Amino acid sequence: MKWRTGLDEYEKLLIRMSTPKVIFDNAACYNATRVMIDSERNHGILLEAVQILTDLNLSIKKAYICSDGRWFMDVFHVTDLNGNKLTEDSVLSYIQESLKLVHYGISRRIEGLTALELTGTDRVGLLSEVFAVLSNLRCNVVESKVWTHNGRIASLIYLKDNDSDSPIEDSKRLDLIVAMLRNVLKGDNDIRSAKTSVTLDVTHTERRLHQMMFDDRDYERKPILNTCDDSPVVSVQNFLEKDYSVVNIQCKDRNKLLFDVVCTLTDMEYFVFHAKVDTSEEKASLEFFIRHMDGTPISSEAEKQRVILCLQAAIERRASQGVRLELCTDDRQGLLADVTRTFRENALNVTRAEISTKVDTALNTFYVTDAIGNPADPKIIESVRQQIGLNYLKVKELPLTCKQKKERNEPAVGPGGAILLSLGSIVKRNLYNLGLIKSCS
C-alpha cells in the first residue's frame, strides 16, 4: 500500500490496524479451510465477508462470529462445492483483495450494461412475455436473475442494444421499454403493485433481489403454488440479562444460506454481535445474538413475528422448487423468448432463473414446475427438451415429492429451547474456534 504524504507513524499504524486482516489455515481442520477475518466493527462488514465467500460459490460448513469492543473476529470453515479445501492462490488472493476494497469503499460493478428492475404478481408464462417484449425491442439480455415467492416475482435484468452491443442510454427508448414491461407485469389484476425501473447503481444482484422482495412485502403473503411443508423453523427470544435478542434458525442446509440470513438482518438494521452456524449432512443450525443499531434488543411481540416472517421468506426465496434445467447453446437474438415460450406452451412455470452469457455462449438455468407448483411430468420435460434440443437443454435435478422428503428427513426441530447457548458459552466457544485450541469440532 502506498502511503499518502504527510502521514505520521501513528496514523499509518491506525490504518494498518483498521484494514481487515485475513488468515487462511488448512492445517487445523481436516475437511475444510479455516478463513479468519479480523476487522474493525461496523454495520455491514459481516455481510460483506459472507458475500465475498458465497460469490466464489464456497460452501460455509461452520461459522463463529465474535464481537469484542470495536473489533470483529469472524471464523468460517469453508470448502468448494465439491467439498475440497481451498488451495488455489488466486482464490485466497481474491478474498484478501476484495475485503480491502470493501474497507476502502470500492465496489465491483457491472459495467457496460443497462440494468432493469421488475417486481409484480407471478403467473405462468410471465417470463416468456417479458423476454418477448425485450426481444421485439432489440434488447440483448446478457445477465438476469429471477426469483419468485408467495405469488410474487422479482427480477434484475442486465441488457444492451442488440445492434450496437452498447448499453441503452437513450431516455425515450428506456421509457418505452419500462412502459411496455410494466404493462406486461400489470396483466389483468396487478395495476398497483407492478413496478419496472431502470437502475444505475446495482452493486450486488442477489442482495438487491432480497431488498426488492422485502419492499414488496412478500413475507406477508400466502403461497399460491403448492409447496412442501419443509419451511424453516425460526424463533426469537430476548436474552434480557445482556440486552440481546437471540434468533435461532433450524432448516435444510443449502448453498448461500448464511448470506440470505445475514443480508436480511443487515437490511432490517440489526447488528450481529455474536453468532454460531453449524451444518450437519443436510441440516443447518444458526444462532445470532442481535441488537438494533441503537444497542437495544427487540422490544415487542409484533416485531418478533416480523423478524420471523422476514427470515423465513429470505430462506424460502432461493429454495429450489421444481426440476432444474440447464441450457447451454450459442447465444442469439430471441433465444430466451423462444425457450420460455416453449415452457409456457407446455404449461411449465418458471420458479427461479439465472441467465448468463460467456463470450457468445448462453449459460442459463431454469427451475420449473407444473402450473400449480407440483413436480412437472417427466414426459412433458422430455418433450420440451426435444423441442429445444436434447444436446442443449439438460435435466440436472429431479425434485423429491413431499412424501419422499417426509420419509427421508428426521422430525423438524421445534421452536422450544431456542437459546441453545448462553452468551458466556458462545463467546467461549468462539474463542475456542479462533485457534486457541486447534480443533474443528
Side-chain angles (χ1 to χ4, degrees), residues 168-226:
I168 300 171
E169 298 175 334
D170 179 76
S171 59
K172 291 183 179 179
R173 186 178 179 193
L174 289 173
D175 288 344
L176 176 62
I177 293 171
V178 167
M180 293 189 69
L181 289 177
R182 187 178 293 121
N183 286 334
V184 168
L185 287 168
K186 284 179 181 178
D188 297 327
N189 57 3
D190 195 14
I191 297 175
R192 293 185 178 180
S193 64
K195 297 178 182 177
T196 306
S197 62
V198 178
T199 180
L200 303 176
D201 190 30
V202 177
T203 58
H204 192 270
T205 300
E206 292 174 346
R207 182 175 185 184
R208 183 59 191 146
L209 283 171
H210 275 303
Q211 293 170 341
M212 290 163 62
M213 298 208 90
F214 177 81
D215 291 341
D216 194 49
R217 304 176 82 88
D218 69 317
Y219 55 88
E220 294 182 344
R221 303 172 187 269
K222 299 297 182 183
I224 294 177
L225 300 180
N226 291 337

Side-chain angles (χ1 to χ4, degrees), residues 400-436:
L400 296 175
T401 65
C402 295
K403 181 179 179 181
Q404 288 173 320
K405 287 184 178 181
K406 289 178 181 177
E407 289 175 348
R408 187 187 65 175
N409 293 339
E410 297 175 6
V413 177
I419 304 181
L420 300 179
L421 299 170
S422 68
L423 177 61
S425 67
I426 199 169
V427 173
K428 182 177 179 182
R429 185 170 296 195
N430 283 346
L431 294 175
Y432 178 85
N433 283 279
L434 295 181
L436 297 179

Side-chain angles (χ1 to χ4, degrees), residues 249-428:
I249 301 171
Q250 306 289 328
C251 65
K252 180 180 178 181
D253 187 31
R254 60 164 172 76
N255 197 30
K256 300 189 178 183
L257 172 63
L258 182 57
F259 169 81
D260 294 336
V261 173
V262 173
C263 178
T264 300
L265 290 173
T266 302
D267 286 337
M268 292 181 73
E269 297 293 317
Y270 293 109
F271 199 102
V272 177
F273 283 83
H274 306 282
K276 175 180 178 288
V277 177
D278 196 7
T279 64
S280 176
E281 296 180 351
E282 293 188 353
K283 295 186 179 297
S285 173
L286 304 89
E287 189 172 52
F288 301 88
F289 286 70
I290 66 172
R291 290 175 181 159
H292 290 111
M293 296 301 294
D294 63 4
T296 60
I298 292 173
S299 59
S300 69
E301 187 62 30
E303 186 182 359
K304 284 184 182 180
Q305 292 305 312
R306 184 169 181 263
V307 170
I308 290 171
L309 289 175
C310 289
L311 289 175
Q312 287 175 333
I315 294 169
E316 291 170 350
R317 287 170 195 149
R318 205 197 293 267
S320 302
Q321 295 288 337
V323 180
R324 173 173 169 151
L325 300 176
E326 292 188 356
L327 176 70
C328 180
T329 186
D330 293 338
D331 192 29
R332 60 172 173 80
Q333 172 70 14
L335 173 65
L336 286 171
D338 292 343
V339 170
T340 52
R341 185 185 67 247
T342 303
F343 292 159
R344 184 193 69 208
E345 290 171 347
N346 287 272
L348 294 180
N349 184 51
V350 179
T351 62
R352 189 156 68 91
E354 295 185 10
I355 311 300
S356 63
T357 308
K358 305 297 182 187
V359 190
D360 293 321
T361 301
L363 302 170
N364 305 332
T365 301
F366 303 94
Y367 292 86
V368 299
T369 67
D370 72 5
I372 59 172
N374 291 322
D377 186 336
K379 293 180 181 178
I380 293 179
I381 294 293
E382 193 62 20
S383 172
V384 167
R385 290 186 62 222
Q386 290 176 353
Q387 294 174 60
I388 295 174
L390 294 174
N391 292 329
Y392 305 133
L393 186 67
K394 297 186 178 180
V395 178
K396 289 299 181 180
E397 292 177 9
L398 284 171
L400 296 175
T401 65
C402 295
K403 181 179 179 181
Q404 288 173 320
K405 287 184 178 181
K406 289 178 181 177
E407 289 175 348
R408 187 187 65 175
N409 293 339
E410 297 175 6
V413 177
I419 304 181
L420 300 179
L421 299 170
S422 68
L423 177 61
S425 67
I426 199 169
V427 173
K428 182 177 179 182

Side-chain angles (χ1 to χ4, degrees), residues 15 18 55 61 63 114 199 212 249 258:
I15 292 175
S18 64
D55 283 349
K61 302 300 183 183
T114 301
T199 180
M212 290 163 62
I249 301 171
L258 182 57

